Amino acid sequence: MINTKVSRYLPYVGWRPLQAKIADFIYSNLGEGRGVVIEAPTGVGKTAAALAAALAYSEGEPIKVIYMIRTNNQAIAPMRELSKLLKVKGLFIPYVLVRNRARMCCISSTSKLPYRDFLMECNYLKRTGECRYYIKLRESGVDHSLFMDTVAGLESPGEYVKSICKLGVCPYDASRMLISDARLIVLSYYYLFSLNAPEVVDLDLKSSILIIDEAHNLPYAVLDLNTQYLTEAMVKAAVVDVRRFVSDINVKAGALRALASIRALFRDLFIGVTEQGERRVDSTKVLEYFNDIDYLSEASGEVLASKRSRGILLAGTPLSDIIDFYRSVVKMPKDKALFLSIGNDGRAIVSRLMDPSVAASGVLNNAHSFIVMSGTMPPTRLFTSLLGVKVKVSELRIGLTEYVKSSNVKAVVYGEVTTKYTERSEEQYSRIAQALISVYDAVNHSVLAVFPSYDTLKATRKYIKQGVDLVVEIGTTTIEDVLGSIKVNPHKLILAVAGGKLVEGIEFRFNDINYIDAVAIIGVPYPEPNDFMNGLVDVVKSRANYDDAWHAVYTWQALVKVKQAIGRGLRSDKDRVFIILMDYRFKDNPIIWREMTNYLPNIEVTSSEGELVRMLKEFTSNNLNK
C-alpha cells in the first residue's frame, strides 16, 4: 500500500500499479548517504513517482529536492508534473529553474553568442548599466510571493523565462537569489558536475536529494562537460580578428607569429590522424607550439576594445578561447589528457577528463540521497564504479514486458547484413537499403532506421530509390522540422544515428498515436575504438575489477543506444512496434544476445528478406485486427 504522504504529491487522481511500485521503492530507500537506481520503460511515470517520493520524504525537513537536467527539453518533465499537481490537487511547490545563463537572458540577441563571449557581454552590460533587468533586480530585489505566483503552473523553460522577464528582472539572477526559498530546484548538470564552471550555485548537498532522469549517459555527460576544444577554425578566425582590429604594430606582429605557430601544430601533429578516432598526444608536444602567447592576451583586449569602439555589439573573439585552452593545458591535472581529433568541425585538440568519478563522486557521495533513473540503465556496478559512488545503492528494475504486452512487440534478427568494420562494402550497403525499402513499403506509418554512424548512414542512403519519403538526420536537422514533416505525411523512412537527436529525447506521437511502426537497428552501434575509449577501459579495469572491461565500456554503451532506439517505438503501454536487429552479431555475440533476449520477448532469427517482410505484415495484420 503506497504511503498516504507520498500520494499527497502525486499529480494525478490515482496511481498506476508500476508507478506506485517505483514511488514506494524510492520512498522506502531514501535516507542519508543512500542512492536509488530505477530502470523502467518510458511511460510508466518515473518522473511523477520520483518527485512524489522525494517531496514526501523532505516534507517538514530542511531538505531540498534538486531535479538535474542535461538538456533544455529535460526541464519540461518536472515542470509539467508540478503544473499538474497544482491543477489537480491545488498544491504548489515553490521552485526555481537554474540553467545556462544565456538561455535565461531577456535580451534575445545575446543568446547567439558562444557562452564565454556571452558572459563577457553580460558582464559588460551589467557593469555599464545597460541591462535594465539586472539594474531593477539590484535596486529593488525580487518579491518572493510575486515570483512564485508568476512561475506557478508554467510547463516549459521558455514560458518560465518570458514570464520573469515581464516582471522586469533577470530570470537567471532572480532564480539564484530565491534558491533558499524553493523546495525544488531544477538545475543544469553544469553547476554540479563541471570542474571549471565560471559560475556556481550555493547549495548544501548534505541537505539535498538529487533526482537525475535519463541517467543512462551520466558518466559520458560528465566527461563531455569537462571537455575543452581548440579547433583549427578558431585559430583561423583569430588571425582575421588580429589583422582587422589590432592597430599596434608590435602587438599585431607578435600575435600573428603566435597564431602561425599554433597553425603549424595542426600541420605537424596531425600527420597520419584520420577521422576514425582520437589519438592521444603528450601535452609537452602541444605546448611547444605556443610561442609569444602573451601577445595574444594583448591582442585580445585590443580586438574587443576596437570592436566596441566601432559599434560592433555582442563583441567576442576566439583569441580568448585560445588563451583559455593554453592555460588549461599548462595547469592540466593528471586526470585529464590531450587528444588529436578530426570531426565535423575539422581538426581539433581536445582536452578530456579521463575519469568521470573525478567530477561526479564528490557530488553523489556528499548528497543526502540521490535517485538516478532511465529506461535503459547500464549494470549498477558499472554505473557506480564509473562515477565513483561509495554510498549504499538500492536498485529496482522493471522490464519492458512488465509494462508492455508481449503481443505488442515483435523482434527479429535479420542476419543477412552487418556493419562490422572489416565486412563493410557497397554490397552490404545495398542489401541494407533494399531491406529498409521493403520494410517501408510494408507499413502504413514511419520506419525509424538507426545507424551506428553518419558514414554508414550516408553510404546506405545512396541506394534508396526515388519515391521513398525520406527524413535524414544531419547536423542542421531540428526535431521540430522532423515532427512537422511527419504531420504532413506520416509514412516516412527516417534515417537517424544511434545516440543522435532523433533517437534520444523525442516522441513521434500526435493525438495519442505513435507514428513509428517499425524500428530497424542497422549494425551494433559500438563506439569507434580510439585512445580515449581505451583509456576508459583502463579506468573500469582498475576500479571495477571486471573480467572483461572492454565489453563493460564498449558493448554496454552500444546496448544502451540500441534500447534507446527501441524506446522510440514504445512510448506507452498501448504502442505496438516491430523491431529489426539488422546485423548477425546480435545473435552471434553471446553478451549481446543474452541482454537482448532478456529485454525483448521471443526474438526470432532470419536471413531471408522475404521472411522478414512476411513476419512484419503478419504483425501489422494482427494489429489491425485488434
Side-chain angles (χ1 to χ4, degrees):
M1 188 73 175
I2 192 73
N3 187 297
T4 55
K5 192 175 178 182
V6 178
S7 294
R8 179 171 180 261
Y9 292 96
L10 177 71
Y12 302 94
V13 175
W15 292 95
R16 293 176 242 165
L18 293 176
Q19 187 180 49
K21 182 178 180 179
I22 293 170
D24 183 60
F25 183 85
I26 292 174
Y27 185 78
S28 300
N29 284 280
L30 285 178
E32 189 170 354
R34 300 182 72 173
V36 180
V37 173
I38 302 291
E39 179 179 66
T42 298
V44 168
K46 296 188 294 293
T47 300
L51 283 171
L55 289 169
Y57 180 90
S58 65
E59 185 178 86
E61 301 291 336
I63 296 175
K64 295 188 182 299
V65 178
I66 303 176
Y67 192 101
M68 302 199 67
I69 60 171
R70 183 170 62 92
T71 66
N72 184 46
N73 285 339
Q74 285 179 347
I76 294 173
M79 291 182 68
R80 190 173 289 162
E81 301 300 347
L82 292 176
S83 175
K84 289 177 182 174
L85 184 60
L86 179 62
K87 291 174 184 175
V88 174
K89 295 189 173 176
L91 181 60
F92 173 65
I93 305 300
Y95 79 98
V96 294
L97 167 67
V98 182
R99 60 185 181 124
N100 183 308
R101 181 189 273 271
R103 300 295 294 271
M104 298 187 75
C105 183
C106 298
I107 305 172
S108 59
S109 58
T110 59
S111 64
K112 300 174 184 177
L113 285 168
Y115 193 59
R116 190 186 184 286
D117 290 340
F118 166 82
L119 291 178
M120 293 173 62
E121 180 67 16
C122 177
N123 289 332
Y124 174 84
L125 294 176
K126 290 192 293 186
R127 188 173 65 251
T128 58
E130 294 180 44
C131 177
R132 61 186 175 90
Y133 302 95
Y134 173 75
I135 296 301
K136 182 176 179 180
L137 184 65
R138 186 183 65 184
E139 293 178 349
S140 307
V142 58
D143 181 84
H144 163 78
S145 297
L146 178 61
F147 181 97
M148 293 304 172
D149 286 345
T150 299
V151 303
L154 300 180
E155 295 190 0
S156 75
E159 289 178 333
Y160 182 98
V161 171
K162 287 179 183 177
S163 298
I164 300 173
C165 287
K166 288 179 181 178
L167 296 179
V169 297
C170 170
Y172 178 85
D173 285 320
S175 297
R176 286 184 60 182
M177 288 174 63
L178 292 176
I179 282 177
S180 60
D181 297 312
R183 284 191 65 192
L184 174 71
I185 302 152
V186 182
L187 184 70
S188 169
Y189 283 8
Y190 170 83
Y191 294 97
L192 292 187
F193 292 123
S194 175
L195 294 171
N196 298 301
E199 297 181 319
V200 296
V201 291
D202 184 18
L203 292 170
D204 178 11
L205 287 174
K206 290 288 185 186
S207 300
S208 301
I209 298 172
L210 308 182
I211 301 176
I212 307 175
D213 202 357
E214 300 298 332
H216 54 276
N217 271 331
L218 181 59
Y220 298 94
V222 170
L223 292 175
D224 287 343
L225 270 176
N226 292 285
T227 298
Q228 293 170 282
Y229 295 86
L230 174 65
T231 68
E232 191 171 21
M234 278 184 202
V235 182
K236 291 177 180 178
V239 170
V240 173
D241 267 5
V242 170
R243 286 176 174 164
R244 184 179 177 188
F245 295 107
V246 177
S247 56
D248 185 294
I249 296 175
N250 290 330
V251 172
K252 177 181 283 190
L256 290 175
R257 278 198 311 272
L259 293 171
S261 179
I262 298 171
R263 291 188 71 176
L265 180 160
F266 289 94
R267 180 195 65 218
D268 299 343
L269 297 187
F270 277 80
I271 295 173
V273 178
T274 68
E275 295 185 19
Q276 298 304 316
E278 297 186 350
R279 190 168 74 189
R280 190 163 181 170
V281 61
D282 191 275
S283 61
T284 57
K285 290 186 176 180
V286 171
L287 290 173
E288 288 175 3
Y289 290 85
F290 281 82
N291 302 312
D292 298 318
I293 196 71
D294 289 341
Y295 282 109
L296 295 186
S297 297
E298 293 185 61
S300 176
E302 193 167 337
V303 166
L304 293 173
S306 179
K307 285 183 177 182
R308 182 70 63 181
S309 68
R310 298 185 193 192
I312 301 175
L313 300 178
L314 309 180
T317 175
L319 284 163
S320 303
D321 297 310
I322 295 171
I323 295 165
D324 283 350
F325 186 85
Y326 166 75
R327 288 172 179 165
S328 73
V329 175
V330 170
K331 299 177 181 178
M332 192 166 67
K334 61 181 178 61
D335 302 303
K336 297 195 82 170
L338 294 180
F339 298 86
L340 306 176
S341 174
I342 302 178
N344 294 331
D345 297 326
R347 297 189 289 193
I349 308 165
V350 187
S351 172
R352 290 196 181 277
L353 183 67
M354 295 302 298
D355 182 352
S357 72
V358 173
S361 63
V363 175
L364 298 176
N365 292 327
N366 287 320
H368 181 281
S369 313
F370 67 80
I371 305 160
V372 291
M373 312 182 296
S374 175
T376 55
M377 287 297 294
T380 297
R381 188 161 68 96
L382 172 61
F383 185 82
T384 55
S385 66
L386 278 172
L387 295 172
V389 174
K390 303 298 183 185
V391 300
K392 181 180 179 180
V393 174
S394 303
E395 65 174 327
L396 172 66
R397 293 182 182 262
I398 296 173
L400 185 67
T401 52
E402 291 183 64
Y403 177 59
V404 177
K405 292 179 182 177
S406 296
S407 58
N408 283 14
V409 183
K410 178 70 175 179
V412 179
V413 174
Y414 178 56
E416 181 66 15
V417 296
T418 184
T419 61
K420 189 175 182 180
Y421 188 74
T422 55
E423 297 182 41
R424 292 179 187 178
S425 66
E426 294 303 313
E427 181 183 2
Q428 285 283 359
Y429 298 133
S430 176
R431 285 180 188 170
I432 293 168
Q434 183 53 54
L436 290 176
I437 293 167
S438 297
V439 170
Y440 169 81
D441 288 340
V443 300
N444 294 320
H445 294 142
S446 293
V447 178
L448 177 64
V450 182
F451 291 81
S453 66
Y454 285 103
D455 288 341
T456 52
L457 185 157
K458 292 174 186 175
T460 302
R461 179 187 179 182
K462 62 178 178 283
Y463 290 105
I464 296 177
K465 66 183 181 182
Q466 296 292 322
V468 175
D469 195 344
L470 274 178
V471 172
V472 182
E473 180 179 349
I474 57 177
T476 56
T477 301
T478 68
I479 292 173
E480 291 76 15
D481 288 344
V482 172
L483 297 180
S485 175
I486 292 173
K487 280 184 179 179
V488 174
N489 176 21
H491 190 208
K492 291 280 196 299
L493 176 56
I494 305 166
L495 306 185
V497 178
K501 65 183 77 173
L502 299 187
V503 178
E504 297 200 26
I506 180 173
E507 290 196 6
F508 299 93
R509 175 183 288 278
F510 310 103
N511 301 321
D512 208 31
I513 298 173
N514 191 338
Y515 282 94
I516 299 297
D517 285 350
V519 176
I521 315 293
I522 295 91
V524 182
Y526 286 111
E528 290 285 354
N530 56 47
D531 288 353
F532 170 65
M533 291 300 299
N534 291 334
L536 278 183
V537 172
D538 291 338
V539 169
V540 172
K541 201 179 288 184
S542 65
R543 183 179 298 123
N545 212 13
Y546 272 88
D547 294 333
D548 195 336
W550 191 94
H551 278 298
V553 172
Y554 280 94
T555 303
W556 274 102
Q557 194 172 346
L559 286 168
V560 165
K561 289 179 179 178
V562 169
K563 291 180 180 180
Q564 283 288 309
I566 291 170
R568 298 314 98 191
L570 293 168
R571 309 303 289 170
S572 81
D573 58 349
K574 297 180 180 63
D575 290 342
R576 286 172 56 87
V577 69
F578 191 85
I579 299 160
I580 312 158
L581 304 171
M582 293 182 66
D583 196 305
Y584 65 79
R585 290 177 292 172
F586 281 105
K587 178 64 172 69
D588 290 356
N589 184 306
I591 295 175
I592 294 175
W593 178 248
R594 182 180 68 245
E595 182 62 24
M596 295 312 299
T597 51
N598 286 337
Y599 185 67
L600 295 169
N602 307 319
I603 302 177
E604 295 192 42
V605 181
T606 183
S607 293
S608 164
E609 184 182 311
E611 180 69 6
L612 173 67
V613 173
R614 183 197 66 74
M615 287 189 281
L616 171 57
K617 288 182 176 179
E618 182 181 332
F619 178 78
T620 304
S621 176
N622 289 339
N623 186 26
L624 294 174
N625 292 333
K626 288 187 179 292

